[in-house]
Amino acid sequence: MRSWLGWLVVFCVFGTPALGVTVNAVPLPAKGTWTVDLTPTHVLTPEVRAEVDQLANALNDQGLGQLMVVMVGTTSPRPSREFALALFNRWGIGHAGRDDGALLFIAYSDRKAEIILGDGIDEPADQEASDAVMAQAIVPAFKRKDPNEAVRGGAQGLKELIENSRLNNPSADIPSTDADLEGQAPASEASVSITQAPASMTESSSSEPNLGFFAGATGVVGAVGLAGSAWLRRRPRKCRTCGNLRARLGEAQDDAHLDPGQRREESLGSVDYDVWWCESCEDGTVERYGRFFSSFKRCTRCRYVTGKQTSRTLRSATYDHGGEVEVTVRCGHCDYVTTSRHSTPRRTRPSSSSSSRSSSGGGRSSGGGSSGSW
């Protein structure tokens, strides 16, 4: 009997899976702070938390949106995306009536990351940008075992997503991305982004559970799309002249076939180029792959994506009036500088129930965003 009881105790202690924190147990951050780290070892450094708070406070002060980062150990047995969506809506991340919130949620022990977007910043361009932030900034850093860089890069990417959203640029056309190909390759050559796969490439060759379901489906579709576009990028190409297969040159070799502006884009990481070489014809085709997640802007003079943008607040937004910011873009290729001024919306007053405890309040999400794992 004692032996049986002993084995029962061992099973209860070691044989059952660890249970994660509940949504209700995640503490709402203090007003003016935007990060929560509930991992046992407190993975996020104070420096990274301070950087995220600075980014998020700048967004909130300008009335553009709200950004939060939450890291827990595990959400077991609840799926991480369902958990993150429930937490987003419980806290009401974003401004009421604008739904301009974004949540970067990490279940560290589960090796899962989730981006939840508010309904106001969940248009197709926003979704594509979210997928790119997850695929290019968050997951690679976690695979390098650098969780702080994953959070830093993810927060920066989501800040830019919010700033560039249609919600905050209502008079603009569909937001341009680095996949725009003005002045680049002709239509007969491939020019795709990491989140798009055109049909014609180059040469021939309700209730919370329901919201969780759709949120999970969105993440799966995004992951499948990224995997499919990667396959399309690397699939064999045939030379139209001789019919032989082309060879994809390495990074060191393809530089000889790029112009100085293209090489500058590659060195900055704003655009990646592939060169497919036909040995028989001694001919190469250049394909352009713009990155949605990039801090660089297209230069209005040389047209390369080599412009570094900085901004300063000329007048802060208040609850009574909007603000004004001055934006400067300096090209890293031709040194051209442009300066412009933009209005920012006035701040939205938080609800009385949330203003005393946190800066968030009133936002809503139906589950848009991205999922990642490593």
Side-chain angles (χ1 to χ4, degrees):
M1 174 65 84
R2 289 183 178 180
S3 176
W4 183 83
L5 289 175
W7 281 111
L8 180 62
V9 171
V10 170
F11 174 79
C12 291
V13 174
F14 299 103
T16 57
L19 296 179
V21 66
T22 63
V23 171
N24 292 341
V26 179
L28 198 62
K31 187 174 183 178
T33 61
W34 306 87
T35 60
V36 175
D37 183 359
L38 296 184
T39 55
T41 57
H42 299 293
V43 172
L44 295 182
T45 64
E47 292 77 15
V48 169
R49 296 185 67 167
E51 287 181 34
V52 173
D53 288 343
Q54 183 177 12
L55 293 176
N57 278 316
L59 279 175
N60 189 56
D61 290 346
Q62 294 175 22
L64 299 178
Q66 294 187 341
L67 169 64
M68 282 201 175
V69 174
V70 175
M71 181 180 283
V72 303
T74 178
T75 63
S76 178
R78 194 171 188 179
S80 59
R81 187 151 193 87
E82 181 183 311
F83 187 106
L85 179 59
L87 182 65
F88 184 108
N89 287 322
R90 180 173 185 268
W91 284 357
I93 301 173
H95 297 109
R98 282 173 51 87
D99 297 327
D100 53 9
L103 169 65
L104 172 55
F105 178 84
I106 296 128
Y108 191 59
S109 298
D110 299 334
R111 305 170 71 89
K112 300 286 186 182
E114 309 291 348
I115 292 174
I116 305 295
L117 299 177
D119 290 343
I121 53 171
D122 190 21
E123 293 194 5
D126 304 321
Q127 180 63 53
E128 291 173 349
S130 173
D131 289 343
V133 171
M134 181 65 75
Q136 298 177 21
I138 299 173
V139 171
F142 275 119
K143 288 183 175 179
R144 297 194 305 267
K145 302 185 185 302
D146 192 348
N148 281 280
E149 182 58 34
V151 168
R152 179 187 286 111
Q156 178 63 41
L158 291 178
K159 173 180 178 288
E160 294 173 7
L161 183 157
I162 293 172
E163 291 174 332
N164 296 327
S165 66
R166 178 68 67 85
L167 180 68
N168 288 318
N169 299 273
S171 60
D173 294 330
I174 295 175
S176 62
T177 68
D178 296 342
D180 293 335
L181 304 172
E182 182 176 347
Q184 298 293 325
S188 61
E189 294 182 4
S191 298
V192 300
S193 76
I194 193 171
T195 57
Q196 298 176 359
S200 175
M201 297 282 290
T202 59
E203 297 158 310
S204 58
S205 123
S206 62
S207 62
E208 185 179 296
N210 287 336
L211 290 177
F213 170 78
F214 287 115
T218 299
V220 170
V221 170
V224 171
L226 291 171
S229 60
W231 177 85
L232 287 169
R233 177 174 177 174
R234 290 167 176 78
R235 86 196 198 291
R237 270 76 161 162
K238 279 187 179 181
C239 176
R240 286 182 175 175
T241 302
C242 66
N244 292 332
L245 288 177
R246 292 182 179 271
R248 182 169 175 258
L249 300 184
E251 289 296 328
Q253 296 172 301
D254 67 15
D255 282 352
H257 303 276
L258 304 179
D259 64 40
Q262 292 171 329
R263 290 196 293 271
R264 184 58 174 160
E265 286 178 320
E266 281 208 327
S267 69
L268 294 174
S270 60
V271 178
D272 196 17
Y273 290 93
D274 286 348
V275 177
W276 291 85
W277 184 256
C278 176
E279 190 65 32
S280 300
C281 301
E282 294 187 346
D283 168 71
T285 61
V286 178
E287 300 178 5
R288 181 185 186 278
Y289 295 83
R291 295 182 178 177
F292 279 96
F293 173 59
S294 172
S295 60
F296 294 92
K297 308 299 179 184
R298 187 184 295 279
C299 175
T300 57
R301 185 168 75 175
C302 70
R303 304 302 298 165
Y304 293 107
V305 187
T306 49
K308 183 64 176 179
Q309 177 176 297
T310 58
S311 63
R312 66 187 183 99
T313 300
L314 301 178
R315 184 177 66 167
S316 298
T318 69
Y319 296 126
D320 300 316
H321 62 75
E324 186 177 24
V325 295
E326 182 182 75
V327 178
T328 300
V329 179
R330 180 181 297 274
C331 180
H333 172 58
C334 68
D335 293 326
Y336 186 61
V337 178
T338 60
T339 302
S340 58
R341 293 188 176 188
H342 304 273
S343 299
T344 60
R346 67 181 183 180
R347 298 180 61 183
T348 303
R349 297 183 185 276
S351 62
S352 58
S353 61
S354 62
S355 60
S356 61
R357 296 189 58 198
S358 170
S359 302
S360 67
R364 177 74 180 172
S365 173
S366 298
S370 309
S371 297
S373 60
W374 62 94

